[in-house]
Amino acid sequence: MADTALAASSTPSGPSAAPAAPDFSGWTCPAPLRDHERIVMGHGGGGTLSAELVEHLFAPAFGSDVLAELGDSAHLTMGGAQLAFSTDSFVVRPLFFPGGSIGDLAVNGTVNDLAMVGAVPAYLSCGFILEEGIELSVVGRVAQALGDAARTAGVTVATGDTKVVDAGHGDGIFINTAGIGLVPDGVDIRPQRAAPGDAVLVSGEIGVHGVAIMSVREGLEFGVEIQSDTASLAGMVADMLAVCPDLHVLRDPTRGGLATSLNEIAGAAGVGITLDERALPVPDTVANACSFLGLDPLYVANEGKLVAFVPPDHADAVLETMRAHPLGKQSVRIGSCREDHPGMVVAATGLGGTRVVDMPLGEQLPRIC
Amino acid sequence: MADTALAASSTPSGPSAAPAAPDFSGWTCPAPLRDHERIVMGHGGGGTLSAELVEHLFAPAFGSDVLAELGDSAHLTMGGAQLAFSTDSFVVRPLFFPGGSIGDLAVNGTVNDLAMVGAVPAYLSCGFILEEGIELSVVGRVAQALGDAARTAGVTVATGDTKVVDAGHGDGIFINTAGIGLVPDGVDIRPQRAAPGDAVLVSGEIGVHGVAIMSVREGLEFGVEIQSDTASLAGMVADMLAVCPDLHVLRDPTRGGLATSLNEIAGAAGVGITLDERALPVPDTVANACSFLGLDPLYVANEGKLVAFVPPDHADAVLETMRAHPLGKQSVRIGSCREDHPGMVVAATGLGGTRVVDMPLGEQLPRIC
């Protein structure tokens, strides 16, 4: 009864057990993580805390160079095929919201991660963790939404798994999807390729998904119903690649919003990014809701938008292509990539000044996806 | 406020919300599922209830022929490469147990699903759902165990995701992994290929993992500590394929145990299976624990064993190869595949009689993996 595994079995498996002093025996907490002895909501927020957890805890444990790149999808070569591989878990509350459900997010979230490296999404896996007691009708409707979204996105659900946890140890439905896509020859889209001079384009209005979730969760009314923008971006990316095979960077600004995506890109490529704040497409409904909630739309999640870094000589053609797509009608150029202030995102404000757009620390809207 | 999505948002997201009458609007419950209006633990048990959920709810919703085959892994062709793709979620309690942890299971479970179609496992995705408040040291040790298991199995963790749910809406750590492997040319291993005459081989003692979990969870002592058998079977499968590229069926009897795997194979291939009960390798510790708990070792989960259906002329060579592998020293032939009683598994008992070994309905040991 003295071996490590058995000793560990007395560790509480969650906060529901009696609290115990953190047991670091057999494991040394990396210095950058020592501000927290326990997981906080911000560790799942897609900001600095999330990044630290991956960089200092998961990546060293997994010993994986591929993972350490922190991109949306991993690039793999298998049997001569160039593949993209990505995963996301979905824990959104509530399960159904204006414009979609956890089933839509579970498809579109992973499909979009594949599309953001230029891959053509092909197959999804799907793992359900169900809470004992949830209505079969809810599971059925979520599964139907997931299947419908997969058909719309042109992907096949190829393999699945279902686990059930006892009532009170889950939250209705959690879903994980992993996706595989085929990367076309010659396509090389990754954050490190952002280059001074690149035009920064966004495919439409920002902040919509996060505000849609908050409005139903908090029972808030903002005059007009705000629908989530959850959608597959793979079709639009294919169109963009047809006019510009040398797209440098694509990113779908989900958790942490546009500000987080731009900061990650600036950091990965060692470039500066300048935004024209007046050009940012923020709908009035989102602006009003954010003002009421004390949020900045730049940090609010999107689930059907992309930001693209495009060589300047192709910017107009790509923008035109995006606007011709049903999901990109309101695409605009919001800024550019430059040599100065490397690693930083700076916005030119409406008042003629500038402000630094920081990486967020943690989570302003938990369980948004 | 009248559209379907919004109306749905008032549906409780789990049992923690006020109970409401099941809402079947917009979704019709398939007849075979009507015994349950809500999810019960058995829907995650790998038995008949699980199979019904996949067959009548998930497969029709996803519209996927690949998924409908219900195998361990899906077969995909991408860019000329023959791939296997599989996923599993892990919700085991406790997180650490004699012989392993949720981190080991998360690697070995998915790696073994790939190996069971003869694939060489190559890449894993890894999605963590963490409960707010869990100690960072626990997450760190699980991640380390996962990384160590991946290195032992020879797979790379290529992509990951972390979500955090609020305290009381999860259970410490849930992990999903999905895996991709390369299927060697000419290998065609699937349940449908079981053929009359095939020898049925098992790679060692059965029931060990389930009893190891139960012993720590229930605080039971059975004289000797029982260690989980969690391990990657990919190396042994490669050795077996080297002496018999025409292996017909492989299966790792996890949830639902050996009885469930054999019933699935008998049903898929339309063959009968006869077991020699006296040949079944059940260690005394497992037999005693099962007797005490009222369980049948044939239905108890294994996490490092495989059952193989081998053409008779190769049976001895394959058995010898299995015994030469460190994980297969106690491999034995436990029965054979025949034309009579198609779809049924029949055991010759120690008393000279026979008994039918049924498919279990639900779950005898919940949250075993």
Side-chain angles (χ1 to χ4, degrees):
Chain A
M1 301 288 282
D3 74 62
T4 314
L6 248 199
S9 70
S10 63
T11 303
S13 68
S16 55
D23 170 21
F24 286 96
S25 64
W27 185 77
T28 305
C29 187
L33 301 181
R34 285 194 187 143
D35 286 348
H36 294 92
E37 287 183 340
R38 294 173 181 270
I39 290 290
V40 297
M41 294 304 290
H43 284 117
T48 302
L49 287 176
S50 294
E52 285 177 354
L53 201 63
V54 173
E55 185 182 347
H56 299 292
L57 191 150
F58 288 121
F62 300 165
S64 167
D65 295 339
V66 195
L67 183 69
E69 284 193 15
L70 271 176
D72 282 305
S73 292
H75 264 108
L76 317 174
T77 304
M78 291 189 75
Q82 294 296 319
L83 304 178
F85 186 32
S86 189
T87 192
D88 257 325
S89 298
F90 298 86
V91 300
V92 64
R93 292 190 77 172
L95 296 174
F96 297 87
F97 45 80
S101 73
I102 191 172
D104 299 283
L105 291 184
V107 170
N108 296 332
T110 295
V111 160
N112 289 346
D113 282 346
L114 296 173
M116 293 307 111
V117 296
V120 180
Y123 295 102
L124 290 184
S125 68
C126 181
F128 277 78
I129 298 176
L130 304 176
E131 185 184 10
E132 180 190 19
I134 187 167
E135 296 90 338
L136 218 55
S137 61
V138 173
V139 180
R141 288 165 55 228
V142 166
Q144 196 62 52
L146 196 154
D148 290 344
R151 282 180 283 276
T152 301
V155 292
T156 299
V157 180
T159 182
D161 176 59
T162 307
K163 292 291 190 306
V164 178
V165 294
D166 20 333
H169 291 90
D171 197 7
I173 302 179
F174 299 145
I175 304 177
N176 175 284
T177 51
I180 312 180
L182 206 55
V183 182
D185 283 344
V187 168
D188 181 20
I189 301 174
R190 52 194 164 89
Q192 293 79 1
R193 292 200 67 219
D198 281 0
V200 180
L201 313 177
V202 70
S203 67
E205 294 180 335
I206 64 168
V208 180
H209 175 74
V211 168
I213 297 286
M214 287 304 286
S215 65
V216 285
R217 197 154 69 194
E218 306 299 331
L220 302 175
E221 301 271 350
F222 301 109
V224 182
E225 180 186 299
I226 301 169
Q227 300 251 340
S228 167
D229 57 351
T230 177
S232 159
L233 296 165
M236 183 159 56
V237 170
D239 292 353
M240 294 162 70
L241 279 171
V243 297
C244 176
D246 190 34
L247 290 176
H248 286 171
V249 188
L250 294 174
R251 193 54 81 99
D252 60 328
T254 55
R255 280 183 293 180
L258 189 59
T260 302
S261 292
L262 294 177
N263 270 282
E264 286 174 354
I265 295 165
V271 297
I273 298 172
T274 304
L275 287 186
D276 177 1
E277 208 164 58
R278 290 158 304 184
L280 285 173
V282 183
D284 287 346
T285 46
V286 169
N288 292 342
C290 283
S291 163
F292 180 79
L293 295 164
L295 301 174
D296 181 336
L298 271 172
Y299 293 88
V300 176
N302 312 275
E303 291 289 343
K305 298 296 182 307
L306 62 79
V307 59
F309 284 59
V310 184
D313 54 335
H314 282 79
D316 290 342
V318 171
L319 189 58
E320 195 177 321
T321 303
M322 291 166 70
R323 287 178 174 162
H325 193 278
L327 293 174
K329 287 177 188 167
Q330 292 165 291
S331 298
V332 287
R333 177 173 179 153
I334 57 168
S336 57
C337 195
R338 47 201 299 167
E339 281 181 23
D340 48 347
H341 57 79
M344 283 176 68
V345 181
V346 174
T349 67
L351 301 171
T354 59
R355 64 166 177 135
V356 173
V357 177
D358 274 333
M359 183 86 164
L361 181 67
E363 179 77 273
Q364 52 175 14
L365 295 172
R367 296 186 61 184
I368 212 77
C369 61
Chain B
M1 300 290 281
D3 75 62
T4 314
L6 247 199
S9 71
S10 64
T11 303
S13 70
S16 54
D23 170 21
F24 286 96
S25 64
W27 184 77
T28 306
C29 187
L33 301 181
R34 287 196 185 140
D35 286 349
H36 294 93
E37 286 182 340
R38 293 173 182 270
I39 290 290
V40 298
M41 293 306 289
H43 283 117
T48 302
L49 288 177
S50 293
E52 285 177 355
L53 200 64
V54 173
E55 185 181 346
H56 299 292
L57 191 149
F58 288 121
F62 300 164
S64 166
D65 295 340
V66 194
L67 183 69
E69 284 193 16
L70 271 176
D72 282 306
S73 290
H75 264 107
L76 316 175
T77 304
M78 291 188 74
Q82 295 295 318
L83 304 178
F85 186 32
S86 188
T87 191
D88 257 326
S89 298
F90 299 86
V91 300
V92 64
R93 294 189 74 173
L95 296 174
F96 297 86
F97 45 80
S101 73
I102 190 172
D104 299 284
L105 292 183
V107 170
N108 295 332
T110 294
V111 160
N112 289 347
D113 283 347
L114 296 173
M116 294 307 110
V117 296
V120 180
Y123 295 102
L124 290 185
S125 69
C126 181
F128 277 78
I129 297 176
L130 305 176
E131 184 185 12
E132 180 191 18
I134 187 168
E135 296 90 337
L136 217 57
S137 60
V138 172
V139 180
R141 287 165 56 224
V142 165
Q144 195 63 50
L146 196 154
D148 290 344
R151 281 180 283 276
T152 301
V155 291
T156 298
V157 180
T159 182
D161 177 58
T162 308
K163 292 289 191 304
V164 178
V165 295
D166 20 334
H169 291 91
D171 198 6
I173 301 180
F174 299 145
I175 304 178
N176 175 283
T177 51
I180 312 180
L182 206 56
V183 182
D185 282 346
V187 168
D188 180 21
I189 302 174
R190 52 195 164 90
Q192 293 80 2
R193 292 199 67 218
D198 282 358
V200 180
L201 314 177
V202 70
S203 66
E205 295 180 334
I206 64 168
V208 180
H209 175 73
V211 168
I213 297 287
M214 286 305 286
S215 65
V216 283
R217 198 154 67 194
E218 307 299 331
L220 302 174
E221 301 271 350
F222 301 110
V224 181
E225 179 187 298
I226 301 169
Q227 300 252 339
S228 167
D229 57 351
T230 178
S232 160
L233 297 164
M236 182 158 57
V237 171
D239 291 353
M240 294 162 70
L241 280 171
V243 298
C244 177
D246 190 35
L247 290 175
H248 287 171
V249 188
L250 294 174
R251 193 55 80 99
D252 59 329
T254 55
R255 279 183 294 179
L258 190 58
T260 301
S261 292
L262 294 176
N263 270 282
E264 286 175 353
I265 294 164
V271 297
I273 297 172
T274 304
L275 286 187
D276 178 2
E277 207 164 59
R278 290 158 304 186
L280 285 174
V282 182
D284 287 345
T285 46
V286 169
N288 292 342
C290 284
S291 163
F292 180 78
L293 295 164
L295 301 173
D296 181 337
L298 271 171
Y299 294 88
V300 177
N302 311 276
E303 292 288 343
K305 298 296 182 309
L306 62 81
V307 58
F309 285 59
V310 183
D313 54 335
H314 283 80
D316 290 341
V318 171
L319 189 57
E320 195 177 320
T321 303
M322 290 165 71
R323 287 178 174 162
H325 193 278
L327 293 174
K329 287 177 189 167
Q330 291 165 292
S331 299
V332 287
R333 177 172 179 153
I334 56 168
S336 57
C337 194
R338 45 202 298 167
E339 280 181 21
D340 49 346
H341 57 79
M344 283 176 68
V345 181
V346 174
T349 67
L351 303 171
T354 60
R355 64 165 177 135
V356 173
V357 178
D358 275 332
M359 182 87 164
L361 181 67
E363 181 76 274
Q364 53 176 13
L365 296 172
R367 298 187 58 184
I368 212 77
C369 61

